[in-house]
C-alpha cells in the first residue's frame, strides 16, 4: 500500500486534471484515527462530480491504492472515496457549503478547560 503522501498527491493531481474546484487538503492525523489526510473538492454538477470520482478511482488504483471504497456515486451530490489513510470528499458546491467539512476539520482543537477546585 502506498503512503498517505503518495495517495494524497495522486488524488490532488487527479482532481486538478479533472478540473475539480476549490481543492483543499487537510492534515487530520492528529485529529482523527480515521485517516491522515482529508481532501475536499467541488464539481460543477452531478455529472462533473461523477466524472471526477470515476477518474480519481482509476488514478488511485494506478498508484496502488487497491479498491478504494466509494459512497454516494449514484446521486453525486457528495461522493466519498476512502483510500485508506486518505479520505476524498467530492461535492456539488451548494452541498459542500451546507456541510462545511473543511471548516470543521481545519479548526484547531479547543483548549482544555481549567477546572476550579473549591
Amino acid at each position: 500500500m502506498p503512503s498517505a503522501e503518495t495517495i494524497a498527491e495522486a488524488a490532488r493531481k487527479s482532481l486538478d486534471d479533472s478540473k475539480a474546484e476549490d481543492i483543499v487538503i487537510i492534515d487530520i492525523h492528529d485529529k482523527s484515527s480515521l485517516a491522515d489526510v482529508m481532501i475536499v473538492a467541488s464539481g460543477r454538477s452531478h455529472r462533473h462530480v461523477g466524472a471526477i470520482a470515476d477518474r480519481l478511482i482509476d488514478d488511485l488504483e494506478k498508484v496502488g491504492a487497491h479498491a478504494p471504497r466509494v459512497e454516494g456515486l449514484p446521486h453525486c451530490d457528495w461522493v466519498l472515496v476512502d483510500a485508506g489513510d486518505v479520505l476524498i470528499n467530492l461535492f456539488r458546491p451548494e452541498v459542500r457549503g451546507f456541510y462545511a467539512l473543511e471548516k470543521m476539520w481545519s479548526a484547531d482543537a479547543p483548549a482544555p478547560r481549567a477546572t476550579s477546585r473549591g
Side-chain angles (χ1 to χ4, degrees), residues 2 10 17 20 24 27-29 31-32 36 39 44 47 59 66 72 75 94 106 116:
D17 290 348
V24 176
D27 180 350
I28 62 169
H29 83 275
K31 298 178 183 181
S32 175
D36 292 337
I39 300 174
R44 294 179 301 281
R47 182 174 287 185
D59 289 345
H66 298 291
H75 303 291
E94 54 274 15
S106 295
S116 59

Side-chain angles (χ1 to χ4, degrees), residues 39 76 96:
I39 300 174
C76 295
R96 181 177 179 169

Side-chain angles (χ1 to χ4, degrees), residues 5-78:
E5 294 80 18
T6 300
I7 294 171
E9 179 54 28
R12 188 212 49 78
K13 183 178 182 334
S14 178
L15 294 171
D16 195 47
D17 290 348
S18 296
K19 308 267 190 277
E21 300 174 346
D22 301 321
I23 301 167
V24 176
I25 300 173
I26 306 164
D27 180 350
I28 62 169
H29 83 275
D30 288 335
K31 298 178 183 181
S32 175
S33 61
L34 294 174
D36 292 337
V37 178
M38 179 180 291
I39 300 174
V40 182
S42 297
R44 294 179 301 281
S45 65
H46 293 97
R47 182 174 287 185
H48 189 212
V49 170
I52 293 168
D54 288 341
R55 179 175 182 158
L56 176 65
I57 293 161
D58 289 343
D59 289 345
L60 291 176
E61 289 175 346
K62 288 176 187 171
V63 297
H66 298 291
R69 293 179 297 269
V70 181
E71 296 289 334
L73 258 183
H75 303 291
C76 295
D77 284 330
W78 176 2

Side-chain angles (χ1 to χ4, degrees), residues 79-117:
V79 176
L80 171 65
V81 178
D82 180 349
D85 290 331
V86 180
L87 299 174
I88 303 106
N89 295 274
L90 306 171
F91 291 99
R92 284 187 309 108
E94 54 274 15
V95 178
R96 181 177 179 169
F98 178 79
Y99 288 102
L101 284 185
E102 60 266 45
K103 183 177 179 184
M104 178 174 65
W105 284 98
S106 295
D108 291 331
R113 290 188 192 189
T115 56
S116 59
R117 296 187 179 162

